[in-house]
Amino acid sequence: MRNKPNLAVRLQENAHLLITEPALYRGRWISEFGCNELHIELGCGKGRFTVETAMKNPDILFVALEKSANAMVIALERVSALGLKNVRFINAFAEYLIEYFAPDEASRIYINFCDPWPSNRHAKRRLTNQRFLRQYSQILVPNGEIHFKTDNHSLFEFSLCELERGGFMIAEVVSDLHERGPVGVMTDYELKFFDKGLPIFKFMAINVKPGPMP
Amino acid sequence: MRNKPNLAVRLQENAHLLITEPALYRGRWISEFGCNELHIELGCGKGRFTVETAMKNPDILFVALEKSANAMVIALERVSALGLKNVRFINAFAEYLIEYFAPDEASRIYINFCDPWPSNRHAKRRLTNQRFLRQYSQILVPNGEIHFKTDNHSLFEFSLCELERGGFMIAEVVSDLHERGPVGVMTDYELKFFDKGLPIFKFMAINVKPGPMP
């Protein structure tokens, strides 16, 4: 993606939505923003999914990570234009997630169409590698959920097989999500696939770590 | 299962459906029985699925394996009573499959509610262990299919993760098959689960071995 014109200015104009030091909120995201739950999106791109999901769930705080400032600026402007109060952005990779979020702080993580990193040499970079899953398990509450979508069959199979060792259990799995018509909120990328009639793979997995003693 | 009364006599009465030396048919099942395709069922139990599927597909030969003669005798009698010409039975485990069927001889294998062998010590006995999958890959044509159903979540996850190394690709996967009402032909066991509203997991996987040169 080419650099957007006036990127710095446009980021500055939406600075109130951008969390530049997320570690400062660690352990107090929910209380700070007066929401009931925290949902995290890894790789929000231009934010179509983020915006639509946040609009439908005003009591949930959505924190969206995106490594590309050029994509994220569009998402910032969309949220700003709609005046949504329950979305914040972090311009970062998922690598340092546990520095931004405390154990048991989030109840859901969305991963939509992440980079499949097709070469086996790069398997560790896939966002469903066990290494990442164990971090998700830490920041998610017991029974917290990962909602994962992809158009990439190899990544889908890889991900399903990493779940158990990463501390998660498959709760729902679909190999052609929109087979009988559109289901749920779609990303920009997903819409293109849907229009071509290509299958989207989805799973929802549950964090199996033990909860607090009753 | 207790021994059925008159088991030996009842087997004898249906001897024409029972293949006692399956290796003699190896490589010529289809020509011998004048069918278009060969489908194999591993563990047919009392044969509800076998019978119903065979009735719907008169041009396909169904060879059903079942290790328990006490269950199989019921299946034999069902097929006999209906006068179905396209079903035969083998009273054996799946262990020696490649001695009964030649490479590229079958186009589909059904595995319905097989023993989950929950202990890791017994993982090799699960019918979706790679060791078995490689045998299925051998006897199935390129793009031949495995249709697998289970109520056991652990077996389901184990099976999905064995597929790739066993030479198969997930083509379809569902975590609650009958969620919106009954789908396809059910086994006796499956009907009980369905009546209780418990989820049935299903996948269909495709044999990825290369086909003949064009």
Side-chain angles (χ1 to χ4, degrees):
Chain A
M1 189 179 280
R2 276 175 300 179
N3 271 338
K4 293 269 177 258
N6 302 317
L7 179 63
V9 173
R10 291 165 66 187
L11 287 172
Q12 193 53 48
E13 281 169 359
N14 296 287
H16 61 294
L17 297 176
L18 196 54
I19 308 288
T20 49
E21 293 197 62
L24 295 179
Y25 289 90
R26 191 175 188 271
R28 50 194 199 84
W29 287 96
I30 289 172
S31 58
E32 194 72 30
F33 290 92
C35 285
N36 291 338
E37 284 185 20
L38 167 64
H39 290 189
I40 297 167
E41 188 184 358
L42 300 181
C44 68
K46 297 180 193 162
R48 171 193 284 272
F49 179 88
T50 326
V51 163
E52 214 175 309
T53 311
M55 283 178 74
K56 290 185 178 174
N57 301 279
D59 296 335
I60 295 171
L61 173 64
F62 290 85
V63 176
L65 276 76
E66 176 52 53
K67 65 185 176 187
S68 159
N70 283 297
M72 196 187 62
V73 72
I74 309 286
L76 283 164
E77 289 171 346
R78 282 175 167 175
V79 168
S80 208
L82 291 161
L84 294 177
K85 305 291 179 214
N86 59 328
V87 187
R88 289 297 182 278
F89 293 89
I90 302 174
N91 183 209
F93 288 92
E95 302 286 340
Y96 305 106
L97 219 50
I98 56 174
E99 296 179 17
Y100 309 154
F101 303 101
D104 294 6
E105 191 162 20
S107 40
R108 189 177 293 187
I109 292 175
Y110 289 104
I111 305 174
N112 293 318
F113 304 91
C114 64
D115 195 326
W117 291 106
S119 159
N120 278 336
R121 264 190 313 130
H122 297 138
K124 282 202 173 171
R125 300 188 192 171
R126 297 174 194 151
L127 287 184
T128 46
N129 184 294
Q130 294 171 54
R131 189 171 65 103
F132 279 113
L133 289 171
R134 279 191 289 264
Q135 295 196 17
Y136 308 155
S137 177
Q138 181 178 319
I139 64 175
L140 282 170
V141 295
N143 293 322
E145 300 171 355
I146 298 175
H147 290 232
F148 176 90
K149 290 196 282 192
T150 186
D151 60 293
N152 187 294
H153 191 275
S154 302
L155 178 66
F156 180 59
E157 292 197 334
F158 170 85
S159 304
L160 287 175
C161 298
E162 291 286 290
L163 287 171
E164 195 185 341
R165 278 177 298 176
F168 287 86
M169 192 183 97
I170 304 171
E172 196 191 307
V173 55
V174 199
S175 49
D176 192 354
L177 182 59
H178 309 299
E179 196 180 5
R180 299 182 194 84
V183 172
V185 177
M186 291 200 213
T187 72
D188 284 312
Y189 186 87
E190 188 172 6
L191 272 168
K192 286 181 200 160
F193 269 79
F194 176 72
D195 287 342
K196 288 182 191 165
L198 294 168
I200 300 298
F201 308 97
K202 186 196 166 179
F203 69 73
M204 193 270 274
I206 285 179
N207 194 8
V208 291
K209 74 178 172 185
M213 289 295 174
Chain B
M1 189 179 281
R2 276 175 300 178
N3 270 337
K4 293 268 178 265
N6 302 318
L7 179 63
V9 173
R10 291 164 66 187
L11 287 172
Q12 193 52 50
E13 282 169 0
N14 296 287
H16 61 294
L17 297 176
L18 195 54
I19 309 288
T20 49
E21 293 196 62
L24 295 179
Y25 289 91
R26 190 175 189 270
R28 49 192 200 85
W29 287 97
I30 289 173
S31 58
E32 194 72 28
F33 290 94
C35 286
N36 292 338
E37 284 185 21
L38 168 64
H39 291 190
I40 297 166
E41 188 184 359
L42 301 181
C44 68
K46 297 180 194 162
R48 170 192 286 272
F49 179 88
T50 326
V51 163
E52 214 174 310
T53 311
M55 283 178 74
K56 290 185 178 173
N57 302 280
D59 296 334
I60 295 171
L61 173 64
F62 290 85
V63 175
L65 276 75
E66 175 53 51
K67 65 185 176 187
S68 159
N70 283 296
M72 197 187 63
V73 73
I74 309 287
L76 283 165
E77 289 171 346
R78 283 176 167 174
V79 168
S80 208
L82 291 161
L84 295 177
K85 306 291 178 212
N86 59 330
V87 188
R88 289 297 182 278
F89 294 88
I90 301 174
N91 183 208
F93 289 92
E95 303 286 340
Y96 304 106
L97 218 49
I98 56 174
E99 296 180 16
Y100 309 153
F101 303 101
D104 295 6
E105 191 160 21
S107 39
R108 190 176 292 187
I109 293 175
Y110 289 103
I111 305 173
N112 294 317
F113 304 90
C114 64
D115 194 326
W117 291 106
S119 160
N120 279 335
R121 263 192 313 131
H122 296 139
K124 284 204 172 170
R125 300 188 193 172
R126 297 172 194 152
L127 287 184
T128 46
N129 185 293
Q130 294 172 53
R131 190 170 63 102
F132 279 113
L133 289 172
R134 280 192 288 265
Q135 295 196 18
Y136 307 155
S137 177
Q138 182 179 318
I139 64 175
L140 282 171
V141 295
N143 293 321
E145 301 171 355
I146 298 175
H147 290 232
F148 176 90
K149 291 196 280 193
T150 185
D151 61 292
N152 187 294
H153 191 275
S154 302
L155 178 66
F156 180 59
E157 292 197 334
F158 171 84
S159 305
L160 288 176
C161 298
E162 291 286 290
L163 288 172
E164 195 185 340
R165 277 176 299 176
F168 288 86
M169 192 184 97
I170 304 172
E172 195 191 309
V173 54
V174 198
S175 48
D176 192 353
L177 182 60
H178 309 298
E179 197 180 5
R180 300 182 194 84
V183 172
V185 178
M186 291 202 214
T187 72
D188 284 312
Y189 187 85
E190 189 171 6
L191 272 168
K192 287 182 200 160
F193 270 79
F194 176 72
D195 288 341
K196 288 182 190 163
L198 294 168
I200 301 298
F201 308 98
K202 185 197 167 178
F203 69 73
M204 192 271 274
I206 284 181
N207 194 9
V208 290
K209 75 178 173 186
M213 289 294 175

